[in-house]
Amino acid sequence: MKQFHASHTIQKMRKRRAESLEAPAHALNSDLDTCPVYGSEAMLSAAPCLDIPQHPLTPRIAQQLVLDELNLDGNTRLNMASFVTTWMEPEADRLILEAMRKNFIDLDEYGQTAEIHKRCVNIIARLLHAPDPQNSAPIYTGSSTVGSSEAILLAVLAMKLRWRAVAAKHALKNPNLVFGANAHIVWTKACFYFDIEARIAPVSPDCLVLTPDRMLPLVDDCTIGVALMFASTINGQYEDVLAVHEALSRLNAQRQHNAFKFEVPIHVDAASGGFVAPFVTPDLIWDFRLPLVKSINISGHKFGLVYAGVGWVLFREAADLPEEMVFHINYLGGDQAHFGLNFSKSASNVIAQYYNLVRYGFEGYRAVLNAQMANARFLRRELETHGSCKGRLRMVDKLDIPLVAFALEGGSRFSVYDVQDHLRQSGWIVPAYRCPRGAEQLEIMRVVVKQDFSHDMIQLFVQSLVHTIEFLDHHFVSRTSIPARPHGRRYKKMASKSSGATNVIHRHSGKATTGIC
Ligand SMILES: *Cc1c(COP(=O)(O)O)cnc(C)c1O
């Protein structure tokens, strides 16, 4: 059946393409420089979807064709769903374009890029209070990655190898990793990829994070580590690294009496909080100041304020990165230790990260992040008090990072998915999702207050939300309250197009979260 559909579509596409090749006689040949873009043959034809086109197009027409299609994407600046940076300074844009041509991995050819990379690792490691390295250089242990996902995969592999080195002597075979149900999807992915049992602690509607009490019963001799979210993707809350650290230290001390002397480490997933806490709450203890914290990841492309494509993995000290994972490249007379899941990548984002560190400095980052925190507080206050929002929304974030998350108070006839759909009509992209295991009955929405979501933009957003709530209060009709087929076929057609229909599918899809990262 599937196959029939596929070949049917291919036939239709071929037919369309054949028809479009018979362009009207008055269309101009597109390889003339003078050809008006929209008077060209290409613009009278379907865009290639299946086969590579036989003939080239002029760059101008090809560019316009692609640009036109991209218009259908959501507006990046109205995307409240993602943590990922959507605005950088024009000076950074220029550096990014310049560095795009360089393959980051060609350390020999681009020695200065490698040097800049090393500086970024050092600066970030010191921001996170990594102990001074024993080598004389000094060089801290870490690497850029494509994002926190790659960083986490590397850190999990390191935890598994460190555990295995000890476990092999005790014939222990089945490693497990402990984290909360609120952890980012990459944690489950890492366990699956590296054949590790995921020990996932459920959360609850009144506490959406991992706690010492939830963690302790899951730890045993086969636990390679405990992963803590700093902050949780679900509601932006910091897990209490200090409290978990104390509980785990006590447990490790008890286990020292056993023959099996493996100290269970902590990895802190600071994808979002890693570039917030050092500037906004520098006294909060969560990083390498705690001895069991052996590795940390950060997304440079979240609050590190760089465009998508850069993360960082840092190890407490060189000994925490198993030697088997490191591949040595000799260049310029030195010894460059390389580890990573990828090989070739553009140097752009590492250069852009260095630009931000140089350009903003500590005080600059602090100013930007404090502004984001102030904007998040402002948004939260508006949602609690403004017009039709008043009394309708219950905040579920803790304002640890610039993120506001809320549920609808009981008594609304419509759901967060209806709010999501209606807001989309005015361009705002705000995700609605069901909370993870243990809190499935809680459905929430999340707004990430990025640096370019200014006070003024927040006011415009709140106006849209007020309008949405007023509209839904007056006009919302629940699908379940509509009698089946009141107008026969016509109704069916209408219903399948209504937002209600997509909401029902969304709600029952069984997926915990959608469209958030
Ligand atoms: C965003 C996020 C990730 C994934 O990071 P990428 O940089 O998108 O790969 C992992 N963990 C947490 C807590 C996150 O917020």
Side-chain angles (χ1 to χ4, degrees):
M1 197 62 192
K2 239 185 183 160
Q3 249 180 358
F4 167 75
H5 275 308
S7 64
H8 186 69
T9 320
I10 292 169
Q11 276 168 18
K12 255 178 32 193
M13 280 174 141
R14 288 205 175 120
K15 191 155 169 276
R16 262 172 69 199
R17 176 128 189 96
E19 282 166 4
S20 65
L21 287 175
E22 296 159 18
H26 55 262
L28 292 169
N29 193 334
S30 63
D31 52 35
L32 290 177
D33 270 354
T34 52
C35 178
V37 170
Y38 290 105
S40 65
E41 270 179 40
M43 290 301 188
L44 289 162
S45 320
C49 294
L50 212 52
D51 294 314
I52 185 165
Q54 194 62 37
H55 303 291
L57 289 180
T58 64
R60 198 163 48 106
I61 292 169
Q63 185 193 45
Q64 195 59 49
L65 190 132
V66 178
L67 280 174
D68 286 357
E69 292 224 351
L70 291 177
N71 274 331
L72 296 179
D73 276 343
N75 182 337
T76 53
R77 299 289 300 276
L78 302 183
N79 181 1
M80 308 288 108
S82 169
F83 283 95
V84 177
T85 302
T86 46
W87 183 88
M88 286 187 78
E89 293 178 318
E91 289 79 1
D93 289 352
R94 166 141 187 246
L95 284 171
I96 286 169
L97 212 59
E98 197 65 36
M100 205 122 74
R101 290 177 254 272
K102 290 185 186 164
N103 186 358
F104 173 77
I105 204 69
D106 292 345
L107 303 170
D108 255 338
E109 289 86 340
Y110 309 126
Q112 201 53 31
T113 295
E115 164 64 22
I116 286 175
H117 176 258
K118 203 161 66 188
R119 291 180 195 170
C120 287
V121 169
N122 287 344
I123 292 171
I124 295 169
R126 289 174 73 84
L127 261 182
L128 306 182
H129 303 96
D132 288 343
Q134 297 306 310
N135 49 39
S136 54
I139 300 170
Y140 289 80
T141 305
S143 178
S144 71
T145 54
V146 171
S148 277
S149 299
E150 187 193 355
I152 289 165
L153 291 172
L154 289 166
V156 169
L157 188 56
M159 281 191 270
K160 180 177 171 178
L161 295 177
R162 289 199 306 264
W163 172 83
R164 205 172 61 183
V166 181
K169 298 180 203 127
H170 298 264
L172 292 174
K173 284 208 174 70
N174 302 312
N176 68 66
L177 184 62
V178 173
F179 51 91
N182 56 308
H184 191 276
I185 193 70
V186 67
W187 285 97
T188 311
K189 197 198 253 185
C191 287
F192 181 71
Y193 283 5
F194 297 133
D195 204 11
I196 296 163
E197 180 198 342
R199 293 234 169 129
I200 305 176
V203 294
S204 61
D206 60 340
C207 177
L208 291 165
V209 293
L210 185 69
T211 59
D213 289 348
R214 288 173 180 173
M215 174 271 301
L216 281 174
L218 299 180
V219 176
D220 62 18
D221 284 351
C222 292
T223 302
I224 64 169
V226 174
L228 294 177
M229 302 302 118
F230 193 84
S232 171
T233 320
I234 304 298
N235 69 336
Q237 181 176 349
Y238 286 151
E239 285 182 342
D240 190 341
V241 185
L242 186 59
V244 172
H245 188 273
E246 272 172 20
L248 200 55
S249 300
R250 255 180 274 127
L251 189 71
N252 279 334
Q254 287 163 16
R255 283 154 45 100
Q256 286 300 306
H257 302 304
N258 302 343
F260 185 62
K261 288 190 167 55
F262 178 72
E263 194 179 53
V264 179
I266 291 175
H267 172 93
V268 184
D269 177 352
S272 55
F275 264 107
V276 180
F279 307 106
V280 174
T281 49
D283 296 332
L284 187 66
I285 310 276
W286 64 276
D287 54 15
F288 289 123
R289 282 168 285 185
L290 298 171
L292 286 181
V293 175
K294 304 292 184 195
S295 49
I296 298 178
N297 66 278
I298 306 192
S299 293
H301 54 215
K302 291 186 177 175
F303 297 109
L305 308 178
V306 181
Y307 289 137
V310 66
W312 299 94
V313 61
L314 285 310
F315 290 90
R316 179 177 195 82
E317 47 198 340
D320 294 311
L321 175 64
E323 202 34 49
E324 308 102 281
M325 283 175 66
V326 183
F327 295 82
H328 291 269
I329 303 164
N330 295 316
Y331 82 110
L332 302 177
D335 177 43
Q336 177 80 24
H338 166 73
F339 62 100
L341 298 180
N342 302 295
F343 197 66
S344 296
K345 69 175 179 187
S346 148
S348 288
N349 291 47
V350 169
I351 300 299
Q353 183 76 75
Y354 188 61
Y355 167 79
N356 274 357
L357 293 169
V358 170
R359 148 79 178 118
Y360 292 127
F362 189 88
E363 288 303 333
Y365 265 107
R366 192 159 73 154
V368 173
L369 284 152
N370 275 328
Q372 286 175 255
M373 290 302 294
N375 281 334
R377 280 192 294 275
F378 171 63
L379 169 63
R380 211 171 188 268
R381 210 165 47 240
E382 289 288 285
L383 295 181
E384 284 173 325
T385 58
H386 195 92
S388 309
C389 290
K390 191 172 175 186
R392 302 297 297 275
L393 309 172
R394 185 165 51 84
M395 300 300 135
V396 296
D397 60 76
K398 304 286 175 194
L399 261 185
D400 287 333
I401 59 172
L403 181 155
V404 178
F406 51 90
L408 285 173
E409 284 289 8
S412 282
R413 284 184 302 127
F414 49 87
S415 71
V416 282
Y417 306 107
D418 301 306
V419 176
Q420 169 184 262
D421 287 346
H422 193 268
L423 274 174
R424 192 70 199 250
Q425 291 177 21
S426 37
W428 299 104
I429 304 169
V430 185
Y433 47 94
R434 179 185 291 169
C435 285
R437 189 146 58 88
E440 294 96 332
Q441 64 271 49
L442 186 59
E443 294 174 325
I444 62 177
M445 302 190 82
R446 187 188 79 183
V447 175
V448 180
V449 181
K450 293 196 284 256
Q451 67 166 325
D452 48 329
F453 192 34
S454 60
H455 190 95
D456 175 49
M457 294 290 286
I458 290 172
Q459 284 183 315
L460 296 174
F461 169 71
V462 172
Q463 275 171 24
S464 291
L465 187 60
V466 165
H467 176 249
T468 290
I469 291 177
E470 284 171 0
F471 178 88
L472 291 173
D473 274 343
H474 289 104
H475 302 292
F476 180 74
V477 183
S478 161
R479 263 198 100 217
T480 49
S481 65
I482 303 174
R485 307 191 65 190
H487 308 295
R489 279 180 58 210
R490 200 168 135 249
Y491 161 72
K492 232 173 151 183
K493 205 169 166 192
M494 270 166 48
S496 67
K497 277 191 177 164
S498 78
S499 62
T502 54
N503 291 337
V504 170
I505 294 164
H506 186 145
R507 233 168 304 169
H508 297 291
S509 67
K511 291 192 175 118
T513 55
T514 49
I516 62 164
C517 52

